[in-house]
């Protein structure tokens, strides 16, 4: 049948993200609704990256005009992942998606594909959709936003079931396969041909209906075999080798001292010296992993002079 599915359960990778945030004395733990949203985003990003097998980073973002200004989940082609959120206001314990990000209707969801080895002049591909449906109704579930994105931007029927708590972030994706194979997110398919099949494939409709019956509690508590057996016990199921352990989803951050140094260089000499005039060092913390990078006046000067311009006999400071 022209139907494929992905099922993900993040455990250690997800708790690692939460523990790093909780251990940040400057911010503390995320509020419960933000933890749930970010967990669903991490699971969804892994599902989408696995689905398209993109050689680069898939970045899922939601941003808007509520107390949560931005939430990001990034997954590399080897399934290394990281996630973070910026919270600038009070988030009620029972806050829904619109209350966190779409208070005034300005919320957006963006999916970016950033190639690992960019060609000269090549730019990342990005698709952006609002956090509301066709009739401008506010969407309250991330799964509804992403399903709407897939249908409107990629002309692909998709069902997503997402759930997250403080121990597990999990998701199930069921998708009608495009008529001419892969490449939809990169815009290489004939949209008109796929549009003709939207909502009309009986096999997909049946499988999608079964998948939609999966509850949040089942997704969080049941193992993969049990879920597949409960949902699709009457279907012919072809299963692929699971990605787990060192080849599976895991937390990893791409921050480095060199990247922070380039960020300081982009600020310019005057701005950097202004910061150093107020304090004797510059300290930059990674919002993803919590790593702190410290630059004193000598370190900062090295960023703008470079080894080739140092006086004779002076050693570079790393």
């Amino acid at each position: 049948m022209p139907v494929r599915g992905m099922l993900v359960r993040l455990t250690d990778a997800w708790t690692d993200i939460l523990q790093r945030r909780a251990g940040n004395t400057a911010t503390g733990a995320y509020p419960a609704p933000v933890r749930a949203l970010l967990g669903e985003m991490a699971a969804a990003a892994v599902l989408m990256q696995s689905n398209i097998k993109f050689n680069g980073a898939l970045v899922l973002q939601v941003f808007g005009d509520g107390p949560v200004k931005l939430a990001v989940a990034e997954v590399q082609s080897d399934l290394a992942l990281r996630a973070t959120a910026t919270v600038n206001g009070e988030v009620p314990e029972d806050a829904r998606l619109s209350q966190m990000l779409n208070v005034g209707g300005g919320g957006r969801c963006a999916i970016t594909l950033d190639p690992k080895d960019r060609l000269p002049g090549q730019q990342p591909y990005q698709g952006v959709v609002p956090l509301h449906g066709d009739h401008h109704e506010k969407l309250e579930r991330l799964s509804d936003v992403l399903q709407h994105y897939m249908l409107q931007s990629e002309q692909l029927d998709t069902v997503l079931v997402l759930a997250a708590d403080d121990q597990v972030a999990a998701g199930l994706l069921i998708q009608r396969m495009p008529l001419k194979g892969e490449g939809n997110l990169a815009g290489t398919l004939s949209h008109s041909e796929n549009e003709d099949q939207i909502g009309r494939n009986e096999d997909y409709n049946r499988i999608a209906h079964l998948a939609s019956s999966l509850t949040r509690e089942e997704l969080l508590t049941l193992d993969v075999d049990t879920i597949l057996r409960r949902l699709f016990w009457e279907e012919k199921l072809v299963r692929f080798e699971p990605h787990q352990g060192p080849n599976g989803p895991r937390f990893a951050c791409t921050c480095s001292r060199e990247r922070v140094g380039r960020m300081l260089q982009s600020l310019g000499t005057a701005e950097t010296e202004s910061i150093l005039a107020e304090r004797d060092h510059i300290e930059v913390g990674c919002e993803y992993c919590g790593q702190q990078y410290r630059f004193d006046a000598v370190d900062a000067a090295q960023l703008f002079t470079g080894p080739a311009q140092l006086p004779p006999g002076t050693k570079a400071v790393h």
Side-chain angles (χ1 to χ4, degrees):
M1 295 180 288
V3 183
R4 61 183 169 194
M6 300 278 175
L7 181 61
V8 63
R9 286 178 58 82
L10 303 176
T11 52
D12 293 351
W14 173 231
T15 56
D16 195 355
I17 291 171
L18 292 183
Q19 288 168 2
R20 289 173 182 273
R21 173 70 180 204
N24 187 325
T25 56
T27 61
Y30 293 115
V34 179
R35 297 198 299 271
L37 171 63
L38 202 59
E40 291 186 3
M41 290 179 63
V46 171
L47 288 171
M48 290 187 290
Q49 174 65 283
S50 301
N51 197 28
I52 64 174
K53 298 179 176 62
F54 176 69
N55 185 26
L58 183 145
V59 184
L60 171 61
Q61 302 176 70
V62 288
F63 48 92
D65 51 12
V68 180
K69 296 303 179 185
L70 173 69
V72 184
E74 176 186 295
V75 182
Q76 302 294 328
S77 55
D78 63 355
L79 300 185
L81 67 101
R82 59 181 188 168
T84 188
T86 301
V87 182
N88 290 339
E90 191 69 26
V91 180
E93 284 296 315
D94 59 349
R96 305 174 76 186
L97 184 64
S98 65
Q99 294 171 293
M100 288 189 284
L101 287 140
N102 200 24
V103 176
R108 297 288 186 270
C109 172
I111 298 176
T112 305
L113 300 178
D114 191 2
K116 184 176 181 179
D117 300 309
R118 288 196 207 175
L119 299 174
Q122 184 180 14
Q123 298 296 319
Y125 167 85
Q126 184 178 76
V128 182
V129 293
L131 300 183
H132 60 68
D134 291 331
H135 304 289
H136 297 281
E137 73 281 10
K138 291 182 178 180
L139 299 177
E140 299 295 357
R141 298 189 303 176
L142 178 68
S143 57
D144 291 336
V145 173
L146 295 176
Q147 287 174 183
H148 187 254
Y149 173 92
M150 290 294 182
L151 189 59
Q152 296 298 317
S153 301
E154 316 304 335
Q155 282 71 53
L156 283 179
D157 294 299
T158 305
V159 166
L160 264 173
V161 185
L162 301 169
D165 58 19
D166 288 350
Q167 301 300 321
V168 179
L172 171 66
L173 179 148
I174 298 294
Q175 193 168 70
R176 176 178 56 82
M177 295 177 67
L179 295 179
K180 291 187 177 180
E182 61 185 14
N184 239 47
L185 274 176
T188 58
L189 292 178
S190 167
H191 284 186
S192 61
E193 290 176 302
N194 270 322
E195 285 176 355
D196 291 342
Q197 288 294 311
I198 291 175
R200 297 176 57 184
N201 188 280
E202 293 184 2
D203 287 327
Y204 169 79
N205 290 340
R206 182 179 70 258
I207 298 299
H209 178 74
L210 295 172
S212 298
S213 69
L214 183 64
T215 67
R216 178 180 186 276
E217 181 180 4
E218 289 173 327
L219 187 55
L220 289 175
T221 59
L222 299 180
D223 62 82
V224 171
D225 291 329
T226 302
I227 289 176
L228 294 179
R229 186 168 60 251
R230 283 192 180 186
L231 292 178
F232 309 121
W233 63 276
E234 289 187 306
E235 305 293 338
K236 181 181 178 181
L237 193 65
V238 179
R239 292 183 60 181
F240 297 89
E241 191 71 24
H243 296 290
Q244 54 191 353
N247 296 320
R250 63 206 177 280
F251 174 81
C253 192
T254 58
C255 72
S256 67
R257 186 173 179 84
E258 289 71 23
R259 294 185 68 174
V260 174
R262 289 196 293 271
M263 182 270 291
L264 294 177
Q265 288 174 324
S266 69
L267 293 178
T269 306
E271 181 68 20
T272 302
E273 290 179 348
S274 174
I275 298 173
L276 287 169
E278 296 178 8
R279 60 193 76 178
D280 62 357
H281 67 276
I282 299 174
E283 191 164 83
V284 179
C286 176
E287 293 189 5
Y288 288 96
C289 69
Q291 177 70 42
Q292 298 290 316
Y293 297 95
R294 184 185 176 100
F295 293 77
D296 60 21
V298 176
D299 297 329
Q302 174 65 29
L303 293 174
F304 295 101
T305 59
Q309 301 177 33
L310 289 174
T314 303
K315 294 182 178 179
V317 178
H318 297 283

